[in-house]
Amino acid sequence: MGDDGRGERLLRRVLAGCGAEPGPDWSVSVAGESSPDSASGLDADGPLRHAVRLPARAGVPAQWPGWVPDQVREAFVRDGVSSPWSHQAQAAELAHSGVDVVVATGTASGKSLAYQLPVLAAFTADPRATALYLSPTKALAADQLRAITSLGLPDVRPAPLDGDTPMDDRDWARRHGRLLFSNPDMLHRSLLPWHARWAGFLRRLEFVVIDECHTYRGVFGSHVALLLRRLLRICERYGAHPTVVLASATVADPGPFAGRLTGREVTAVTVDGSPSAGRTVALWEPPLLPELTGENGAPVRRAAGAEAARMLADLVLEGARTLAFVRSRRGAEVTALGARRVLADVDPDLTQRVAAYRGGYLPEERRALEAALVDGRLLGVATTNALELGVDIAGLDAVVVAGFPGTRASFWQQAGRAGRAADEALVVLVARDDPMDTYLVHHPGALLGAPVEGCVLDPANPYVLAPQLVCAAAELPLTELDVDGRFGGQPARDVLDELVADGVLRRRPAGWFWPSTSDRPAASVDIRGSGLRQVAVVEGATGRMLGTVDGTSAPATAHPGAVYLHRGESYLVDELDLDAGVALVRAADPDWRTDARSTADVEVARVLAQRDHGPVSVSFGEVTVTSQVVAYQRRAPDGTVLETVPLDLPEQTLRTRGVWYDVDQRALEAAGVDHDLAPGALHAAEHAAIGLLPLFAICDRWDIGGMSTALHPHTGRPTVFVHDGHPGGAGFAERGHAVLEAWLAATRDAIAGCECRSGCPSCVQSPKCGNGNAPLDKAGALLVLGVVLAALAEPATHRMRLVG
């Protein structure tokens, strides 16, 4: 490779920290010079599975658009922006001309300028013009508000509008604010239900800015898509037709995705004109711990968080400014503490230069941490994804990602925090004990050489559409034109018919009406969940509400006797009242954890698509999942079962969508899977498939579920189901059906590539299995998947599609 850069030097330091320093002739391959799956020159017994250097990229500057007012241009020049990059100028030009646009470029590429220029130009041309900025987090909106304020331009009148904004400040924003920084929750609960009060702001609305739009996926994304349709309908009512500007991390097909989100045709700008520093990207698999065994005797790897803590300490000792991304708030605290403990034994003065950063801190605490990291007072920060989105921290020396963050888009978003123009940086992905992580570190082409995922959302989901249509009707009566032109046509009509039959809405010749004139339905609709009732977690002794859990997951996470974690504090659940929507808890610090045990059954309600491949049939459709939490286990920290406690909780029914395959028993027997082995083999294949679906659809394994059985009453054969975990479906199972062969091939490779003998969390064990990961047959799962994939390689012999 020639003279190694800082990224490679930092990687050598991390390797040396675990006693695996390579020889003097070892070097990192350069992207494009070798196969993405190549790992030549690495110690097969060491933790480093792959390393590649991504070369730096020069920027492509552009001229300031002629329509940008002098005072706006001069303000940006004073702020350090001498000229826009090509993608900024292109997106701003489109937005200025009234074209809805999404700019989808990398982290720290300056996407904000694409909306700031046309908005500020419009404000200069029309002193009464307004704009609305929406972000998924309050922290990101606050960061953008500071950036606009720092320009010092007159009469912009930016203002926050979120749940923390005092009522007096809200009133000022409503009467005088021109550029409001808000979020979908505030739009849903406060602005749209009371739109008449905001008529002055809405009738002059020129731009709607939707930042980090790739976060709007699944059920939440489906709610936001309909919420935006509600907003644009209300704007039209007041005579406004705002231009929509969206910003996103790099995602597949950003234009069509932005179109599904907004209900409009959107032009995509995807060629990143900003400069990018070189990066060395390393894939790391922690070693097995021979002294420990997990559930059912499975081998255990060193925890990704513990490995990240050691790396964070090593990098701080090198003077490298480093972010370590971890998956949870508690994990961020523990990782920072672990790094400080390591540093205390080597250089105690450095312990004060490591901190944790997460949601739940006060805004002033977060701002102080951000400033300390930027100016170098802090060298190491362990953080949740709170620092992934938007907050202006870039140019760091290293990023450690403890556990794949769920999507390639998120991984590159986090990796983009590292890299200075003058020197390259280091990015390390540390694999968790998880099928997805294991697959990626052994198949680097699936991460380093693959396009980012597409975002999945389904605004036609009736369980999302129904509450959103009710909210829309309460804001303004729904007309035939609204239904056909904005809310999806016939699916919306079917939902409206049910709402009328149930007495929720009334049908009149002019349209559909909300019968009440006083209450507002938006208050009871949770756009970040299923739209169904939430269960409040309340401290019994004080009445203090700690948080909420979704009603569908409450029996498994907040049952009587459960250990409930909130902001790193432990509580025991004393009582769960599903009818009242309350779980009562008390503070406790038990030396055990709890795992719920449940039963589940999947009934096929309607087949939407089916195809036969010889002995294998593949289907997609509507399913009814019936589950019941029947017990919980108290487990010691090492996984030992201390006690199994029965529970008497009601059954829960979930109507959703699923994908499934069923196999001729004779084909399984011919492959060596007899009737006695089938339950464990199918169960293991199901677990691994759930763990790998996020590779193909932007979701988390907790967004999906599954069931396997050696004889299902609908198919009459051994069957494996994977279904969405949200009412009506969220699009994940449908995506799995579309890419079934590639998905199951990756599943087989993940199982085959795991070095355990009989199954572990890296391949076929699941952290959420209601049956305690029994029975499981790793070898049998490979045989089952071999039969299925061999059949899928042959043309379908019969196809059937049912509609309506």
Side-chain angles (χ1 to χ4, degrees), residues 71-72 75-76 78-79 111-121 123 131-133 140-160 177-181 209 211 392:
Q71 61 180 351
V72 173
F76 280 107
R78 287 195 303 271
D79 207 41
K111 293 185 284 290
S112 299
L113 196 66
Y115 84 81
Q116 291 168 345
L117 288 180
V119 166
L120 295 174
F123 281 13
L132 175 65
Y133 169 97
L140 174 54
D143 191 70
Q144 290 291 305
L145 173 59
R146 283 194 304 276
I148 284 288
T149 303
S150 69
L151 293 174
L153 289 166
D155 206 31
V156 175
R157 301 203 297 272
R178 298 186 69 194
L179 178 50
L180 300 188
F181 291 83
V209 180
D211 208 352
D392 189 16

Side-chain angles (χ1 to χ4, degrees), residues 80-162:
V81 182
S82 58
S83 65
W85 301 114
S86 57
H87 67 281
Q88 296 171 323
Q90 181 187 358
E93 191 71 57
L94 288 166
H96 176 70
S97 61
V99 176
D100 296 331
V101 61
V102 55
V103 53
T105 53
T107 307
S109 60
K111 293 185 284 290
S112 299
L113 196 66
Y115 84 81
Q116 291 168 345
L117 288 180
V119 166
L120 295 174
F123 281 13
T124 303
D126 180 1
R128 293 171 57 82
T130 62
L132 175 65
Y133 169 97
L134 300 173
S135 80
T137 66
K138 288 184 286 188
L140 174 54
D143 191 70
Q144 290 291 305
L145 173 59
R146 283 194 304 276
I148 284 288
T149 303
S150 69
L151 293 174
L153 289 166
D155 206 31
V156 175
R157 301 203 297 272
L161 183 67
D162 58 42

Side-chain angles (χ1 to χ4, degrees), residues 460-477:
N461 179 339
Y463 292 88
V464 176
L465 192 54
Q468 288 289 333
L469 288 173
V470 171
C471 292
E475 291 154 6
L476 285 175

Side-chain angles (χ1 to χ4, degrees), residues 397-472:
D397 299 300
V399 163
V400 178
V401 182
F404 182 62
T407 68
R408 288 182 286 265
S410 287
F411 172 77
W412 290 115
Q413 188 89 346
Q414 294 177 2
R417 293 296 179 195
R420 303 182 188 180
D423 206 352
E424 72 172 42
L426 173 66
V427 178
V428 184
L429 171 62
V430 182
R432 290 177 302 151
D433 232 354
D434 177 89
M436 170 75 87
D437 291 43
T438 301
Y439 180 82
L440 290 174
V441 296
H442 287 276
H443 300 81
L447 176 63
L448 306 179
V452 294
E453 306 89 344
C455 294
V456 175
L457 56 86
D458 180 16
N461 179 339
Y463 292 88
V464 176
L465 192 54
Q468 288 289 333
L469 288 173
V470 171
C471 292

Side-chain angles (χ1 to χ4, degrees), residues 28 149 311 515 539 572 695 750:
V28 177
T149 303
M311 290 183 183
E539 192 171 27
L572 282 178
L695 185 64

Side-chain angles (χ1 to χ4, degrees), residues 144-195:
Q144 290 291 305
L145 173 59
R146 283 194 304 276
I148 284 288
T149 303
S150 69
L151 293 174
L153 289 166
D155 206 31
V156 175
R157 301 203 297 272
L161 183 67
D162 58 42
D164 295 334
T165 307
M167 290 306 299
D168 288 347
D169 292 348
R170 293 188 196 187
D171 289 341
W172 187 93
R174 178 170 53 82
R175 293 194 306 269
H176 305 295
R178 298 186 69 194
L179 178 50
L180 300 188
F181 291 83
S182 191
N183 53 60
D185 309 82
M186 199 68 181
L187 179 65
H188 167 67
R189 291 182 179 271
S190 295
L191 198 154
L192 290 182
W194 307 99
H195 60 85

Side-chain angles (χ1 to χ4, degrees), residues 122 196 383:
T383 178

